[in-house]
Amino acid sequence: MSMRGVPFHWRRYRERYMLLGTQCAACGGVFFPMRSICPHCRRDGQPRPLAFSGRGTVYSFTVIHVASEGFETYTPYVVGVIQLAEGPKVTSQVVDCPPDAVYIGMPVEACFRKLRDEGPDGIICYGFKFRPVDAPTQPG
Amino acid sequence: MMGGESALGKREVAIVGVGLTPSGELWNQGLRELTIQAGFAAAEDAGIRGKDIDLILVGNMSAGMFVGQEHVAALVAGFLGLNPTSAVRVEAACASGGVAFKQGCLAVASGLYDLVVVGGVEKMTDMHGTWATAVLSGAMDFEWEAYFGATFPGIYALMARRYMYEYGLTREQLAAVAVKNHYHGSLNPNAHFRNRITIDQVLTSSLVADPLRLFDCSPISDGAACVILAPAAQARRYTDTPILVDACTQASDTLTLFERRDLCTLDATVAAAREAFHLARTDPQAIDVVEAHDCFTIGEILALEDLGFCAKGTAGALYEDEQLYVGGRLPVNTDGGLKAAGHPVGATGVKQIVELVKQLRGEAEGGRQVSGAERGLAQNVGGSGATAVVTILRRAN
């Protein structure tokens, strides 16, 4: 997609780099992505940042063969819905293992990775992906 | 409905004219030509003149991204020579057409407007396929899904994988959705694809987002559709076969798939359908023909359950005989659906209404007429289920 300015990426960096969500101090509800209002308590809510452990399991997954612009060089790659240990689900890639090794229920942990770049003059986008809990660390 | 008030507002609403372009790669036509072709066909069908029109609504997802043109409602009004008629663009991703139709119904029902034109249009093939995929990614949550590499087919693949895991749906049952819709498309002269396909062809087509393959996916299409609405009490000025809008309801859910209550249910469809059946004072057993939002094969499976035609987890079995074909118990997507008839995203919700009107009038060509159809239902979905519109139409006696 067309190149976006730095603030578009920067304002979300804490959530994407550290897997931060929200816990409402009023109802205890836990949410990802971060919320400025609690969807349950609404104006009576007290949303506070919450750092997730990064531990979770694969709830569903797909192997992307036809990628969107910016991800073509990564195909085939796995995109999963990950059920976090704290309750909420998130979507990101599952890496450090062959696509056919991924299964529903697979234990995974968050890792910090490059997502894509916006071309030679654009920003490099980073964020969390997930890897099998027992996978050896790999670059990339 | 009894009395003067309708399920929609102060007045009952009728569809008095419909028009459609073919869907496909229509290189000779730009966005404005497509819209005008569908609009003129509908106006001719209703026997109205431009000066009779009180309001123009245009369903369109992303002309700004697809062809670099915003402000398309006024563009269309001006190009039609209909200035200064009020013209409004309506956007709800792939449900833009359905929501535009609903707003048109409300405009007539309110008593403020008599003749309302609802168009839907998308010009998608001026752009390279990779970029079109990126534009469609905007229908889901860009910052929390597309940003991490999810594609639109990928999001539906996540639903399909989980559904197959929970309910044992087979790959062959999923393929049967596309086979049925291509068969219906072969009967429809306006369909994007008119070729019949086999289960084996679906299962050997290239992988897009495993488990979904190319033949599980609706195409990138150009196309436009148009309907003309009038108060039901005035409808016979324009047509001998008015089609009544018994209900048109809409519901919302999160744009993100991962925040949904259940990956295997479109709660927005469930909510909209429940309200629609209530307002129309009818039930799924009374529906003779269905247009369901099969942007991907799994979409039709979920739709049949979420609309109440069968229990959760059981839709796959409906594809083991021909009960969902024309001539069967409950014909679904008689025009070929999004899969074969085409999916010009902003036009799709209106295109579904056009097909139902043809069916209820008894005018569906090509051997796809459902005999004696009196009631039809359309389900139009935006994104992966963040918007759902359910419409119930009935042939006036």
Side-chain angles (χ1 to χ4, degrees):
Chain A
M1 216 28 33
S2 58
M3 215 183 308
R4 295 172 177 85
V6 170
F8 175 82
H9 305 278
W10 167 81
R11 78 172 66 93
R12 300 272 181 254
Y13 86 89
R14 289 181 309 160
E15 294 155 88
R16 291 197 184 118
Y17 287 14
M18 293 176 277
L19 193 51
L20 287 191
T22 297
Q23 182 159 32
C24 174
C27 73
V30 177
F31 308 101
F32 184 88
M34 285 182 94
R35 299 263 191 171
S36 49
I37 64 162
C38 170
H40 301 152
C41 306
R42 309 197 62 243
R43 239 182 294 185
D44 299 326
Q46 298 166 42
R48 308 270 188 269
L50 173 76
F52 291 107
S53 65
R55 304 289 284 229
T57 54
V58 174
Y59 188 80
S60 189
F61 69 97
T62 175
V63 187
I64 305 284
H65 291 263
V66 180
S68 214
E69 187 267 333
F71 292 94
E72 298 96 329
T73 56
Y74 298 95
T75 57
Y77 61 90
V78 177
V79 167
V81 170
I82 309 301
Q83 171 99 58
L84 295 173
E86 293 84 355
K89 299 186 185 81
V90 302
T91 282
S92 189
Q93 295 178 35
V94 179
V95 295
D96 291 0
C97 66
D100 61 9
V102 180
Y103 59 94
I104 290 177
M106 180 187 210
V108 291
E109 62 190 7
C111 52
F112 178 78
R113 293 295 161 85
K114 177 181 171 181
L115 295 172
R116 59 185 282 264
D117 61 57
E118 297 228 317
D121 302 320
I123 198 162
I124 300 172
C125 309
Y126 295 95
F128 57 83
K129 294 183 183 177
F130 291 87
R131 61 200 290 276
V133 169
D134 55 358
T137 302
Q138 290 177 12
Chain B
M1 308 301 298
M2 306 296 286
E5 299 234 328
S6 80
L8 296 159
K10 291 175 192 285
R11 304 194 289 192
E12 275 196 274
V13 179
I15 301 166
V16 299
V18 296
L20 195 63
T21 69
S23 291
E25 295 187 28
L26 308 175
W27 296 345
N28 288 331
Q29 291 168 292
L31 181 134
R32 59 187 95 191
E33 289 85 3
L34 289 169
T35 316
I36 273 60
Q37 185 184 336
F40 273 23
E44 194 162 312
D45 186 39
I48 63 165
R49 308 294 301 177
K51 62 177 169 42
D52 303 328
I53 296 167
D54 298 316
L55 174 67
I56 300 166
L57 295 166
V58 181
N60 176 260
M61 173 178 164
S62 200
M65 301 286 259
F66 284 123
V67 293
Q69 180 68 62
E70 308 290 8
H71 211 170
V72 295
L75 175 86
V76 166
F79 196 66
L80 280 165
L82 291 181
N83 295 333
T85 307
S86 170
V88 181
R89 170 179 170 180
V90 179
E91 189 276 314
C94 325
S96 299
V99 178
F101 177 76
K102 187 194 119 198
Q103 295 305 118
C105 291
L106 295 181
V108 173
S110 74
L112 287 175
Y113 299 93
D114 284 337
L115 265 189
V116 173
V117 172
V118 182
V121 63
E122 210 74 57
K123 179 67 196 177
M124 301 176 75
T125 68
D126 279 353
M127 176 177 261
H128 187 273
T130 301
W131 287 82
T133 302
V135 173
L136 292 170
S137 297
M140 52 196 199
D141 191 313
F142 182 83
E143 291 194 311
W144 297 109
E145 293 181 321
Y147 198 94
F148 289 84
T151 60
F152 200 47
I155 292 293
Y156 273 86
L158 290 166
M159 295 186 219
R161 173 92 61 189
R162 185 71 199 183
Y163 186 99
M164 293 165 95
Y165 173 82
E166 287 196 24
Y167 300 109
L169 179 80
T170 66
R171 228 348 307 208
E172 287 74 14
Q173 288 171 326
L174 206 49
V177 178
V179 171
K180 170 181 68 70
N181 291 344
H182 268 255
Y183 172 78
H184 286 155
S186 77
L187 307 176
N188 175 7
N190 288 316
H192 189 148
F193 296 128
R194 303 204 58 197
N195 59 315
R196 297 179 188 180
I197 60 172
T198 64
I199 298 274
D200 202 45
Q201 278 176 288
V202 181
L203 299 184
T204 54
S205 62
S206 60
L207 279 164
V208 173
D210 190 34
L212 298 183
R213 292 173 178 271
L214 185 64
F215 280 18
D216 290 295
C217 307
S218 56
I220 288 171
S221 313
D222 304 325
C226 186
V227 302
I228 295 172
L229 304 173
Q234 301 171 22
R236 287 187 197 273
R237 291 183 202 169
Y238 309 104
T239 177
D240 294 332
T241 52
I243 303 300
L244 301 174
V245 183
D246 275 354
C248 184
T249 59
Q250 181 185 346
S252 307
D253 204 343
T254 60
L255 261 71
T256 49
L257 178 68
F258 63 79
E259 287 183 280
R260 304 259 173 86
R261 180 189 64 78
D262 178 17
L263 262 58
C264 304
T265 306
L266 267 55
D267 280 349
T269 297
V270 174
R274 192 170 293 154
E275 189 188 359
F277 282 117
H278 173 73
L279 291 175
R281 300 180 196 181
T282 188
D283 56 42
Q285 285 71 42
I287 301 296
D288 301 311
V289 56
V290 176
E291 284 284 297
H293 197 95
D294 62 321
C295 51
F296 302 94
T297 45
I298 184 66
E300 187 174 301
I301 298 276
L302 300 181
L304 291 174
E305 299 170 349
D306 299 341
L307 291 166
F309 292 108
C310 61
K312 182 54 64 185
T314 66
L318 302 179
Y319 292 84
E320 283 166 8
D321 57 25
E322 298 199 338
Q323 60 182 301
L324 304 179
Y325 282 68
V326 169
R329 181 180 63 87
L330 181 70
V332 175
N333 285 329
T334 51
D335 59 348
L338 283 54
K339 173 66 196 83
H343 186 22
V345 283
T348 287
V350 182
K351 191 157 70 74
Q352 293 176 319
I353 301 297
V354 172
E355 175 65 8
L356 289 185
V357 168
K358 286 186 180 180
Q359 289 288 352
L360 299 179
R361 286 176 176 176
E363 294 175 357
E365 64 275 66
R368 69 181 202 282
Q369 177 64 46
V370 176
S371 69
E374 290 183 7
R375 262 199 194 84
L377 178 147
Q379 175 236 21
N380 184 205
V381 174
S384 60
T387 297
V389 182
V390 174
T391 304
I392 297 175
L393 303 182
R394 176 170 53 94
R395 189 175 66 207
N397 291 318

PDB file of all heavy atoms in Angstrom, chain B residues 247-272:
ATOM      1  N   ALA B 247     -38.515  -6.949   5.259  1.00  0.00           N
ATOM      2  CA  ALA B 247     -37.542  -6.600   6.300  1.00  0.00           C
ATOM      3  C   ALA B 247     -36.194  -6.345   5.657  1.00  0.00           C
ATOM      4  O   ALA B 247     -35.853  -6.970   4.644  1.00  0.00           O
ATOM      5  CB  ALA B 247     -37.414  -7.726   7.327  1.00  0.00           C
ATOM      6  N   CYS B 248     -35.448  -5.403   6.232  1.00  0.00           N
ATOM      7  CA  CYS B 248     -34.045  -5.214   5.849  1.00  0.00           C
ATOM      8  C   CYS B 248     -33.324  -4.764   7.108  1.00  0.00           C
ATOM      9  O   CYS B 248     -33.557  -3.662   7.594  1.00  0.00           O
ATOM     10  CB  CYS B 248     -33.911  -4.194   4.713  1.00  0.00           C
ATOM     11  SG  CYS B 248     -32.199  -4.034   4.146  1.00  0.00           S
ATOM     12  N   THR B 249     -32.503  -5.637   7.646  1.00  0.00           N
ATOM     13  CA  THR B 249     -31.893  -5.394   8.954  1.00  0.00           C
ATOM     14  C   THR B 249     -30.377  -5.478   8.844  1.00  0.00           C
ATOM     15  O   THR B 249     -29.835  -6.091   7.922  1.00  0.00           O
ATOM     16  CB  THR B 249     -32.369  -6.445   9.977  1.00  0.00           C
ATOM     17  OG1 THR B 249     -32.010  -7.735   9.496  1.00  0.00           O
ATOM     18  CG2 THR B 249     -33.875  -6.375  10.171  1.00  0.00           C
ATOM     19  N   GLN B 250     -29.716  -4.882   9.807  1.00  0.00           N
ATOM     20  CA  GLN B 250     -28.253  -4.797   9.767  1.00  0.00           C
ATOM     21  C   GLN B 250     -27.706  -4.965  11.176  1.00  0.00           C
ATOM     22  O   GLN B 250     -28.311  -4.478  12.133  1.00  0.00           O
ATOM     23  CB  GLN B 250     -27.861  -3.428   9.206  1.00  0.00           C
ATOM     24  CG  GLN B 250     -26.362  -3.216   9.100  1.00  0.00           C
ATOM     25  CD  GLN B 250     -26.026  -1.806   8.656  1.00  0.00           C
ATOM     26  OE1 GLN B 250     -26.890  -1.078   8.183  1.00  0.00           O
ATOM     27  NE2 GLN B 250     -24.793  -1.410   8.835  1.00  0.00           N
ATOM     28  N   ALA B 251     -26.574  -5.630  11.292  1.00  0.00           N
ATOM     29  CA  ALA B 251     -25.920  -5.777  12.599  1.00  0.00           C
ATOM     30  C   ALA B 251     -24.408  -5.699  12.427  1.00  0.00           C
ATOM     31  O   ALA B 251     -23.884  -5.877  11.325  1.00  0.00           O
ATOM     32  CB  ALA B 251     -26.303  -7.113  13.241  1.00  0.00           C
ATOM     33  N   SER B 252     -23.715  -5.431  13.539  1.00  0.00           N
ATOM     34  CA  SER B 252     -22.262  -5.225  13.524  1.00  0.00           C
ATOM     35  C   SER B 252     -21.547  -6.218  14.430  1.00  0.00           C
ATOM     36  O   SER B 252     -22.140  -6.770  15.364  1.00  0.00           O
ATOM     37  CB  SER B 252     -21.910  -3.805  13.999  1.00  0.00           C
ATOM     38  OG  SER B 252     -22.612  -2.836  13.268  1.00  0.00           O
ATOM     39  N   ASP B 253     -20.254  -6.400  14.149  1.00  0.00           N
ATOM     40  CA  ASP B 253     -19.374  -7.191  15.019  1.00  0.00           C
ATOM     41  C   ASP B 253     -17.975  -6.585  14.885  1.00  0.00           C
ATOM     42  O   ASP B 253     -17.765  -5.632  14.138  1.00  0.00           O
ATOM     43  CB  ASP B 253     -19.399  -8.669  14.586  1.00  0.00           C
ATOM     44  CG  ASP B 253     -19.016  -9.618  15.723  1.00  0.00           C
ATOM     45  OD1 ASP B 253     -18.432  -9.152  16.728  1.00  0.00           O
ATOM     46  OD2 ASP B 253     -19.294 -10.816  15.603  1.00  0.00           O
ATOM     47  N   THR B 254     -16.990  -7.137  15.602  1.00  0.00           N
ATOM     48  CA  THR B 254     -15.635  -6.592  15.505  1.00  0.00           C
ATOM     49  C   THR B 254     -15.078  -6.805  14.104  1.00  0.00           C
ATOM     50  O   THR B 254     -15.366  -7.816  13.454  1.00  0.00           O
ATOM     51  CB  THR B 254     -14.685  -7.285  16.505  1.00  0.00           C
ATOM     52  OG1 THR B 254     -14.648  -8.686  16.222  1.00  0.00           O
ATOM     53  CG2 THR B 254     -15.152  -7.047  17.933  1.00  0.00           C
ATOM     54  N   LEU B 255     -14.254  -5.854  13.631  1.00  0.00           N
ATOM     55  CA  LEU B 255     -13.563  -6.069  12.359  1.00  0.00           C
ATOM     56  C   LEU B 255     -12.580  -7.222  12.477  1.00  0.00           C
ATOM     57  O   LEU B 255     -12.412  -8.008  11.552  1.00  0.00           O
ATOM     58  CB  LEU B 255     -12.818  -4.789  11.921  1.00  0.00           C
ATOM     59  CG  LEU B 255     -13.567  -3.942  10.889  1.00  0.00           C
ATOM     60  CD1 LEU B 255     -14.756  -3.272  11.530  1.00  0.00           C
ATOM     61  CD2 LEU B 255     -12.655  -2.920  10.236  1.00  0.00           C
ATOM     62  N   THR B 256     -11.905  -7.322  13.622  1.00  0.00           N
ATOM     63  CA  THR B 256     -10.958  -8.414  13.826  1.00  0.00           C
ATOM     64  C   THR B 256     -11.697  -9.728  13.992  1.00  0.00           C
ATOM     65  O   THR B 256     -12.657  -9.823  14.761  1.00  0.00           O
ATOM     66  CB  THR B 256     -10.138  -8.180  15.102  1.00  0.00           C
ATOM     67  OG1 THR B 256     -11.032  -7.851  16.161  1.00  0.00           O
ATOM     68  CG2 THR B 256      -9.111  -7.090  14.921  1.00  0.00           C
ATOM     69  N   LEU B 257     -11.203 -10.752  13.293  1.00  0.00           N
ATOM     70  CA  LEU B 257     -11.751 -12.095  13.507  1.00  0.00           C
ATOM     71  C   LEU B 257     -11.411 -12.592  14.911  1.00  0.00           C
ATOM     72  O   LEU B 257     -12.237 -13.216  15.587  1.00  0.00           O
ATOM     73  CB  LEU B 257     -11.176 -13.055  12.454  1.00  0.00           C
ATOM     74  CG  LEU B 257     -11.625 -14.509  12.583  1.00  0.00           C
ATOM     75  CD1 LEU B 257     -13.106 -14.660  12.268  1.00  0.00           C
ATOM     76  CD2 LEU B 257     -10.782 -15.415  11.682  1.00  0.00           C
ATOM     77  N   PHE B 258     -10.177 -12.288  15.376  1.00  0.00           N
ATOM     78  CA  PHE B 258      -9.709 -12.893  16.636  1.00  0.00           C
ATOM     79  C   PHE B 258     -10.465 -12.395  17.865  1.00  0.00           C
ATOM     80  O   PHE B 258     -10.392 -13.023  18.912  1.00  0.00           O
ATOM     81  CB  PHE B 258      -8.187 -12.728  16.790  1.00  0.00           C
ATOM     82  CG  PHE B 258      -7.677 -11.312  16.896  1.00  0.00           C
ATOM     83  CD1 PHE B 258      -7.770 -10.614  18.081  1.00  0.00           C
ATOM     84  CD2 PHE B 258      -7.057 -10.697  15.806  1.00  0.00           C
ATOM     85  CE1 PHE B 258      -7.264  -9.318  18.184  1.00  0.00           C
ATOM     86  CE2 PHE B 258      -6.558  -9.404  15.886  1.00  0.00           C
ATOM     87  CZ  PHE B 258      -6.671  -8.715  17.082  1.00  0.00           C
ATOM     88  N   GLU B 259     -11.178 -11.276  17.749  1.00  0.00           N
ATOM     89  CA  GLU B 259     -11.950 -10.785  18.897  1.00  0.00           C
ATOM     90  C   GLU B 259     -13.386 -11.312  18.923  1.00  0.00           C
ATOM     91  O   GLU B 259     -14.152 -10.966  19.817  1.00  0.00           O
ATOM     92  CB  GLU B 259     -11.980  -9.252  18.897  1.00  0.00           C
ATOM     93  CG  GLU B 259     -10.651  -8.624  19.285  1.00  0.00           C
ATOM     94  CD  GLU B 259     -10.732  -7.109  19.347  1.00  0.00           C
ATOM     95  OE1 GLU B 259     -10.674  -6.486  18.263  1.00  0.00           O
ATOM     96  OE2 GLU B 259     -10.857  -6.562  20.447  1.00  0.00           O
ATOM     97  N   ARG B 260     -13.761 -12.133  17.954  1.00  0.00           N
ATOM     98  CA  ARG B 260     -15.142 -12.624  17.901  1.00  0.00           C
ATOM     99  C   ARG B 260     -15.411 -13.663  18.983  1.00  0.00           C
ATOM    100  O   ARG B 260     -14.510 -14.395  19.392  1.00  0.00           O
ATOM    101  CB  ARG B 260     -15.422 -13.268  16.539  1.00  0.00           C
ATOM    102  CG  ARG B 260     -15.156 -12.353  15.378  1.00  0.00           C
ATOM    103  CD  ARG B 260     -16.400 -11.734  14.805  1.00  0.00           C
ATOM    104  NE  ARG B 260     -16.028 -10.747  13.793  1.00  0.00           N
ATOM    105  CZ  ARG B 260     -15.789 -11.060  12.511  1.00  0.00           C
ATOM    106  NH1 ARG B 260     -15.964 -12.294  12.090  1.00  0.00           N
ATOM    107  NH2 ARG B 260     -15.437 -10.121  11.661  1.00  0.00           N
ATOM    108  N   ARG B 261     -16.671 -13.773  19.354  1.00  0.00           N
ATOM    109  CA  ARG B 261     -17.099 -14.785  20.325  1.00  0.00           C
ATOM    110  C   ARG B 261     -16.763 -16.189  19.823  1.00  0.00           C
ATOM    111  O   ARG B 261     -16.379 -17.066  20.578  1.00  0.00           O
ATOM    112  CB  ARG B 261     -18.614 -14.653  20.541  1.00  0.00           C
ATOM    113  CG  ARG B 261     -19.218 -15.634  21.523  1.00  0.00           C
ATOM    114  CD  ARG B 261     -20.747 -15.566  21.495  1.00  0.00           C
ATOM    115  NE  ARG B 261     -21.306 -15.962  20.211  1.00  0.00           N
ATOM    116  CZ  ARG B 261     -21.450 -17.213  19.796  1.00  0.00           C
ATOM    117  NH1 ARG B 261     -21.114 -18.208  20.585  1.00  0.00           N
ATOM    118  NH2 ARG B 261     -21.941 -17.493  18.597  1.00  0.00           N
ATOM    119  N   ASP B 262     -16.945 -16.410  18.503  1.00  0.00           N
ATOM    120  CA  ASP B 262     -16.762 -17.739  17.918  1.00  0.00           C
ATOM    121  C   ASP B 262     -16.265 -17.565  16.484  1.00  0.00           C
ATOM    122  O   ASP B 262     -16.840 -16.793  15.723  1.00  0.00           O
ATOM    123  CB  ASP B 262     -18.118 -18.481  17.937  1.00  0.00           C
ATOM    124  CG  ASP B 262     -18.048 -19.853  17.298  1.00  0.00           C
ATOM    125  OD1 ASP B 262     -16.933 -20.384  17.132  1.00  0.00           O
ATOM    126  OD2 ASP B 262     -19.117 -20.391  16.959  1.00  0.00           O
ATOM    127  N   LEU B 263     -15.199 -18.272  16.120  1.00  0.00           N
ATOM    128  CA  LEU B 263     -14.672 -18.145  14.754  1.00  0.00           C
ATOM    129  C   LEU B 263     -15.584 -18.811  13.726  1.00  0.00           C
ATOM    130  O   LEU B 263     -15.459 -18.582  12.535  1.00  0.00           O
ATOM    131  CB  LEU B 263     -13.273 -18.777  14.654  1.00  0.00           C
ATOM    132  CG  LEU B 263     -12.078 -17.819  14.758  1.00  0.00           C
ATOM    133  CD1 LEU B 263     -12.091 -17.057  16.060  1.00  0.00           C
ATOM    134  CD2 LEU B 263     -10.762 -18.558  14.580  1.00  0.00           C
ATOM    135  N   CYS B 264     -16.483 -19.671  14.183  1.00  0.00           N
ATOM    136  CA  CYS B 264     -17.303 -20.470  13.276  1.00  0.00           C
ATOM    137  C   CYS B 264     -18.732 -19.928  13.145  1.00  0.00           C
ATOM    138  O   CYS B 264     -19.597 -20.615  12.588  1.00  0.00           O
ATOM    139  CB  CYS B 264     -17.344 -21.924  13.738  1.00  0.00           C
ATOM    140  SG  CYS B 264     -15.720 -22.657  13.914  1.00  0.00           S
ATOM    141  N   THR B 265     -18.980 -18.747  13.677  1.00  0.00           N
ATOM    142  CA  THR B 265     -20.304 -18.133  13.595  1.00  0.00           C
ATOM    143  C   THR B 265     -20.139 -16.659  13.263  1.00  0.00           C
ATOM    144  O   THR B 265     -19.264 -16.004  13.828  1.00  0.00           O
ATOM    145  CB  THR B 265     -21.051 -18.242  14.939  1.00  0.00           C
ATOM    146  OG1 THR B 265     -21.079 -19.597  15.362  1.00  0.00           O
ATOM    147  CG2 THR B 265     -22.476 -17.720  14.827  1.00  0.00           C
ATOM    148  N   LEU B 266     -20.971 -16.153  12.353  1.00  0.00           N
ATOM    149  CA  LEU B 266     -21.026 -14.713  12.146  1.00  0.00           C
ATOM    150  C   LEU B 266     -22.181 -14.176  12.997  1.00  0.00           C
ATOM    151  O   LEU B 266     -23.342 -14.211  12.580  1.00  0.00           O
ATOM    152  CB  LEU B 266     -21.232 -14.374  10.661  1.00  0.00           C
ATOM    153  CG  LEU B 266     -19.944 -14.124   9.846  1.00  0.00           C
ATOM    154  CD1 LEU B 266     -18.974 -15.285   9.946  1.00  0.00           C
ATOM    155  CD2 LEU B 266     -20.265 -13.820   8.398  1.00  0.00           C
ATOM    156  N   ASP B 267     -21.836 -13.717  14.209  1.00  0.00           N
ATOM    157  CA  ASP B 267     -22.878 -13.249  15.125  1.00  0.00           C
ATOM    158  C   ASP B 267     -23.696 -12.107  14.525  1.00  0.00           C
ATOM    159  O   ASP B 267     -24.880 -11.951  14.851  1.00  0.00           O
ATOM    160  CB  ASP B 267     -22.252 -12.801  16.454  1.00  0.00           C
ATOM    161  CG  ASP B 267     -21.939 -13.979  17.382  1.00  0.00           C
ATOM    162  OD1 ASP B 267     -22.387 -15.112  17.090  1.00  0.00           O
ATOM    163  OD2 ASP B 267     -21.246 -13.761  18.396  1.00  0.00           O
ATOM    164  N   ALA B 268     -23.074 -11.296  13.671  1.00  0.00           N
ATOM    165  CA  ALA B 268     -23.822 -10.196  13.045  1.00  0.00           C
ATOM    166  C   ALA B 268     -24.918 -10.756  12.126  1.00  0.00           C
ATOM    167  O   ALA B 268     -26.026 -10.216  12.068  1.00  0.00           O
ATOM    168  CB  ALA B 268     -22.882  -9.285  12.261  1.00  0.00           C
ATOM    169  N   THR B 269     -24.618 -11.848  11.426  1.00  0.00           N
ATOM    170  CA  THR B 269     -25.641 -12.492  10.593  1.00  0.00           C
ATOM    171  C   THR B 269     -26.758 -13.051  11.464  1.00  0.00           C
ATOM    172  O   THR B 269     -27.949 -12.884  11.157  1.00  0.00           O
ATOM    173  CB  THR B 269     -25.032 -13.627   9.747  1.00  0.00           C
ATOM    174  OG1 THR B 269     -24.079 -13.078   8.843  1.00  0.00           O
ATOM    175  CG2 THR B 269     -26.102 -14.363   8.959  1.00  0.00           C
ATOM    176  N   VAL B 270     -26.382 -13.699  12.563  1.00  0.00           N
ATOM    177  CA  VAL B 270     -27.386 -14.276  13.468  1.00  0.00           C
ATOM    178  C   VAL B 270     -28.334 -13.172  13.970  1.00  0.00           C
ATOM    179  O   VAL B 270     -29.560 -13.332  13.933  1.00  0.00           O
ATOM    180  CB  VAL B 270     -26.703 -14.983  14.662  1.00  0.00           C
ATOM    181  CG1 VAL B 270     -27.737 -15.447  15.679  1.00  0.00           C
ATOM    182  CG2 VAL B 270     -25.863 -16.162  14.172  1.00  0.00           C
ATOM    183  N   ALA B 271     -27.754 -12.051  14.413  1.00  0.00           N
ATOM    184  CA  ALA B 271     -28.568 -10.966  14.968  1.00  0.00           C
ATOM    185  C   ALA B 271     -29.461 -10.337  13.900  1.00  0.00           C
ATOM    186  O   ALA B 271     -30.655 -10.095  14.124  1.00  0.00           O
ATOM    187  CB  ALA B 271     -27.660  -9.906  15.594  1.00  0.00           C
ATOM    188  N   ALA B 272     -28.895 -10.080  12.723  1.00  0.00           N
ATOM    189  CA  ALA B 272     -29.680  -9.452  11.655  1.00  0.00           C
ATOM    190  C   ALA B 272     -30.796 -10.387  11.187  1.00  0.00           C
ATOM    191  O   ALA B 272     -31.932  -9.950  10.932  1.00  0.00           O
ATOM    192  CB  ALA B 272     -28.773  -9.067  10.486  1.00  0.00           C
TER     193      ALA B 272
END
